[in-house]
Amino acid sequence: MRYKIARLMESTGYFENWMVQLRRGWLELCVLNALAAGERYGYDLVQTLAAMPGLNITEGTIYPLLSRLRMQGLVATRLEESPEGPARKYYTLTPPGRKALALMNDHVELLVRQTRRLRTEGGSR
Amino acid sequence: MKPWSDAAEQEFARYCDRRRTALLASGADPDEVFADWRSHIVEEAVRNKADAVAEEDVRRLMARLEADPPAGSEARTFGSAALPPPDPAPRLLPIPAVVVFALFGVALPLITLLVESLTGLCASLLFDPMPTLAHGVLIALVPLANLLALVALRQRAWRPWRAMLWLNGLALGVTLYYTLHFSAFTPFAVIGVLYLGLGLLPLSPLISLICALLLRRSLGRAARATAAVSVPVWRPLLAAFLVLLLLALPTIIAMTGLNLAASEDAHTRARGLRLLRTVGSREELLRASYVQRPVTFDPIVWLGRQLAAEPLPLEKIREIYYRVTGQPFNAVRPPNLRGRGGALFNADEWDFAQSGDQVAARLRGLTLAQSRLDGRVEAEAGLAYLEWTLVFQNAAAVQREARAQILLPPGGVVSRLTLWINGEEREAAFSGRGQVRQAYQSVVQRRRDPVLVTTCGPDRILLQCFPVPPNGGTMKTRVGITVPLALLSSADGLLALPRLIEANFGLDPELKPAIWVESDREMVATGLRGERVAERQFTLRGDLTPAALDQGQCCTVRRPAQATRAWCRLERGEPGQQVLQTIRAVPTPPPARIVVVMDGSRRMAAHARETAALVRRLPAAAAVDLFIAADEVVRLGPSGADPRESLARQVENFNCAGGCDNGAALLAAWDEAAAQPGGVVLWLHDTQPLESKSTEALRQRWERRPNGPALYGYQFDSGPDRLTEKLEGVAAFHAVAALRGADLDWTTLLDAWAGRAPWLACERRLTPDTNGAPSDALAASLHLARLWAADEILRLAGTRNTDVRAKAMGLACTWQLVTPLSGAVVLENEEQYRQANLKPVDPDSTPDMVPEPGTLALLGLSGGLLLLAYALPRWFRHARHRCSVRG
């Protein structure tokens, strides 16, 4: 039965669409969380996020997102010369970025909690 | 850095081009993302240990970069990102909106600016919206900001958002300011547009404000969407307000300074004067001197006024103007009042001083268009008669009264007044000054043609003419003045010309004051041509400089040194009398103490050296004290071996500032000089346009002690002198005429004190008519009798006895003289004279440039006597010879 449902979802693209919807905003949260511990080198950050299972994104989606976050003032960048390759761009959270991240994490926690409760209690009080 | 092949570069560039629009729409910076990709590719190449980046590498890596999540979502497109942009991508501004904005946000303010700049339409009617160039630049910012905003909203490629938002904010501030400025007229303009189709220009600020607001909304959206840029609107608004505040600062400083300077507290007053002298705008002060509280539509100035104290009276503001600048407010060209209110609100269009006894403010458009001075000098008798013809012109749209205070030559008296009415000469009526003024005011109220002359101080008259017709109309009048020559020595006389010391009109730029003086002796004057026409007939003629009408000019007249006595028969008044004039040296002992009072006003800085030189020349035997009339009276202390030199140096180094009332210093000087017999006060000053608070105290000192210290006053520059005016009748006051520069003007007195030259004085007295010339006396014209009458009237006017004063009045009317008791008025017709109970003088009895009948008779008599003196001895000799022959 479960298999059938999975096949049904795959054939109609329902799950994919739902994933796209979910990914909206989630990636931004991941990027900000990845920078919460400290500054990250851009290439390294992209590799880490691209390799993250379940997120299902490529490097191509991350660079424009980083640019936008920078223009919105949530992250800051600095360049550092590298002896091996091109100058490395390091990303770090700005104070507004930290505030935004804290709000987003709280909200996600709330949503997850409420979703679990729905699953376990069926929404009944 | 790994090198890139050309093909790789081209492939990458093509790829970037394809993705640019999508990236832009996502809210990312495409160039930054391209740089990141490029770094990413190179990093991959380094890790793969490739020697260079080839086209294949780019394709491979790009394909991987672009390897999207499973199909079926909008996130497939590379660069559109899995996340939506913060705002939907803005659409281009539609063409109809662009046209509307271009018309009302760009074209309308631009046209308004051009129309106002070229025609001054608003400035001439309501108020000047652009009093400075900076205001014009700010207004020009509005169409510019709106235009650039339109371009930015139509061109995707050009988006300096931050600058655009700032510019738009500034334009908002400017339009808001001008909308408030015009708010009083907005309802009328709306009605005008709705019903007449006119009045769009006054609505321009409001319409521009609406356009700027709408454009800001679009700009803000676009900036946030595409570049995540926003500028809070209060920042440019605050900047615009600060700029406008800066432009209004001179007005605000003037308001603040005036209120401080008018304070009753001395310290606050001094602070206000200091503020105005240091940073105050003269233009603003002058403007305030003309309009007490001009109507203002400037919201910033209006706000400043609400915070300021009560408005000050005009007289107070004019006083402060003098205290700050050292110059009377009406000595300079009137300000352009359109800067703070147009014709409808300009108080200067109304002459509140009309028919009063003050010259008051200068009137725009009223000028002295022509001036002509005719004179006849009787060198031997030491007198002259001058006729000054003045033609006033009025360019304004309303009738004007021309008023001027004229400084007569020392000892001069007005003996004729003529007005041209419809091209005909009308002579004046001479009567009591109250009666003639009343007649004048009555006729002025009926807006007919009178002219009035009254005295207003020693050797000063006030001339008033009304109406000078509007729109270029002219009015012509003539004042005849009988003048005694100032005797430099027994062989040299000085004829000073009358001058304007205060006027409510300006001088026409093309004015050429003509002068023509005739004499029986040679005359010399700078800039004038001296001619000898015939035996004992000399002419001095030419054009005076316009400045000479203000600053004065004099002519030196050569005269026979032995001519010390002159006479004329008294043809009017008391019969059987004649006037005998004797020139004689008057003893002038040097003073024991000289107290110098120097005016500390700003304009005296130019005369500090002359003053110091005079201090050095004072008689060595006299003790010298020096007071300076500054904001406070300053007494200079002599020091060192040479006290005079030390005083002179202190005078030279004194910091003259503002305008100062000299009254308090004169009081201190009188007290000092009166402390011992033989003291005199020398008062060296500039113009004194204010009523001194010490006038009565000064008069009291000299009235209670007539033999107290003599006061010698010397005014360096021409201008009103209210203090001297109030000293009329004080016998101890002597005005030293400023004719040839301080050095020469004081020489006569200083030489007399030092005993180097005699002090010559003319004594005129009445003697019984002996039916012939007194011995050694030369025949003079009736002007000699007029001068005697003027002296006599001044003497009699000093008493309080009503009969004596009535006699003096009678004398003034008999001899047709303007004196402290009498005035002259010309009215338009007989009816007006009858209503005023006045009678115009007989034209045959007035003096003229041709010798008067009395003079002709005297000349004939003298000629006959000379002939007899020549012929009789011969006749007797012949007769005796004939008798002896017969005998």
Side-chain angles (χ1 to χ4, degrees), chain B residues 20 108 167 550 743 765 811:
Chain B
R20 178 176 288 276
L108 181 61
L167 202 58
D550 286 335
D743 186 36
R765 60 192 169 86
L811 207 56

Side-chain angles (χ1 to χ4, degrees), chain A residues 16-17 20 23-25 28 41 43 46-47 56 58-61 63-65 67-68 70-72 84-86 88-89 91, chain B residues 23 26-29 32-33 36-37 40 42-44 47 64-65 67 69-70 72-75 78 82-84 86 227-228:
Chain A
E16 292 303 327
N17 281 332
V20 169
R23 209 165 51 213
R24 285 170 183 266
E28 197 168 327
Y41 161 41
Y43 182 83
V46 169
Q47 293 295 327
N56 204 13
T58 67
E59 295 96 321
T61 56
Y63 283 118
L65 172 63
S67 170
R68 189 160 58 78
R70 186 190 61 74
M71 291 175 74
Q72 286 174 332
E84 295 175 350
R88 290 180 168 181
K89 188 188 257 186
Y91 291 86
Chain B
L23 281 173
S26 76
D29 179 354
E32 183 185 15
V33 176
D36 290 341
W37 287 344
H40 190 97
V42 173
E43 194 81 31
E44 289 283 307
R47 282 168 193 254
R64 197 159 62 75
L65 281 174
S73 83
E74 68 270 42
F78 186 90
L83 296 174

